[in-house]
């Protein structure tokens, strides 16, 4: 599946857990960060192509009192060190019932990243492993690519327009599209 052929892509946003790093539920320990195989290479390819890069991540571990923002930031710094660097990190510290505007699938994190990167939301692609990631992209006016894991629900896969088998394939879709737009 492909991205919209008539849209310029200038930035790429990634979900953190199960997209860039192996998911350790409620992880706020930098020592437990393990990149998804191929994540560093995929991010490196996107950066080399001139795309602006960011991470948009729900971290309810903060709202639940299981970690501090500083601990989550330290964990994110470790991800940045192993997989990045990223131009921007946007973190939702709220729980699902808090009613915030930032928790995916709401658009807040994507809109914040767009503003901080100086890129229109329509020029962004969000890559994630669940429907909420792609939903946040759509709600913000961006495009989304789902990279399913064994935990991704079948209906999430069926409900999104663009699915890639791996993070590397997702980046390839974006780079092919970027090349087609420039030609």
């Amino acid at each position: 599946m492909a991205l919209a052929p008539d849209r310029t892509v200038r930035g790429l946003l990634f979900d953190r857990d199960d997209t860039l790093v192996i998911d350790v539920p409620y992880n706020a320990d930098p020592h437990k960060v393990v990149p998804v195989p191929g994540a560093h290479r995929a991010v490196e390819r996107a950066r080399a192509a001139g795309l602006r890069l960011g991470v948009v991540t729900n971290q309810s571990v903060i709202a639940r009192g299981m970690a501090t923002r500083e601990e989550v930031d330290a964990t994110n710094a470790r991800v940045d060190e192993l997989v990045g660097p990223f131009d921007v990190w946007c973190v939702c510290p709220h729980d699902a019932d808090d009613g915030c505007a930032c928790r995916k699938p709401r658009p807040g994190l994507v809109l914040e990243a767009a503003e901080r990167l100086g890129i229109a939301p329509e020029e962004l692609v969000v890559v994630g492993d669940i429907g909420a990631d792609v939903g946040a992209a759509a709600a913000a006016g961006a495009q989304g690519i789902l990279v399913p894991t064994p935990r991704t629900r079948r209906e999430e896969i069926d409900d999104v327009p663009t699915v890639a088998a791996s993070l590397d394939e997702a980046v390839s879709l974006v780079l092919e599209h970027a090349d087609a737009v420039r030609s």
Side-chain angles (χ1 to χ4, degrees):
M1 290 179 238
L3 298 172
D6 59 340
R7 290 174 67 171
T8 301
V9 177
R10 295 180 48 218
L12 188 51
L13 304 177
F14 300 92
D15 171 54
R16 187 186 90 172
D17 300 316
D18 257 358
T19 300
L20 293 174
V21 298
I22 294 171
D23 186 28
V24 175
Y26 305 110
N27 185 29
D29 181 350
H31 298 101
K32 293 182 180 177
V33 172
V34 177
V36 167
H40 179 70
R41 178 180 180 276
V43 170
E44 204 170 59
R45 287 178 58 224
R47 186 183 315 99
L51 294 174
R52 300 294 308 273
L53 306 176
V55 178
V56 289
T57 180
N58 290 343
Q59 293 299 318
S60 65
V61 67
I62 299 168
R64 293 173 185 216
M66 299 164 62
T68 65
R69 177 61 190 246
E70 292 74 23
E71 289 169 321
V72 169
D73 288 345
T75 302
N76 292 343
R78 181 67 175 152
V79 176
D80 207 56
E81 179 184 319
L82 295 174
V83 182
F86 296 96
D87 299 308
V88 66
W89 278 83
C90 298
V91 176
C92 172
H94 305 105
D95 206 352
D97 297 329
D98 288 348
C100 65
C102 53
R103 186 173 176 81
K104 296 179 286 181
R106 293 181 196 96
L109 290 177
V110 177
L111 295 173
E112 177 188 350
E115 182 176 328
R116 290 175 58 195
L117 290 169
I119 297 174
E122 298 79 20
E123 297 176 312
L124 292 170
V125 174
V126 179
V127 177
D129 65 299
I130 61 173
D133 300 316
V134 178
Q143 296 184 82
I145 300 174
L146 183 71
V147 180
T149 70
R151 287 190 282 260
T152 308
R153 296 189 328 263
R154 180 83 236 164
E155 60 267 20
E156 291 174 305
I157 298 167
D158 294 342
D159 287 347
V160 300
T162 308
V163 178
S166 67
L167 191 57
D168 199 51
E169 184 180 306
V171 170
S172 291
L173 285 171
V174 172
L175 298 182
E176 288 169 14
H177 174 71
D179 289 342
V181 170
R182 282 191 217 104
S183 313

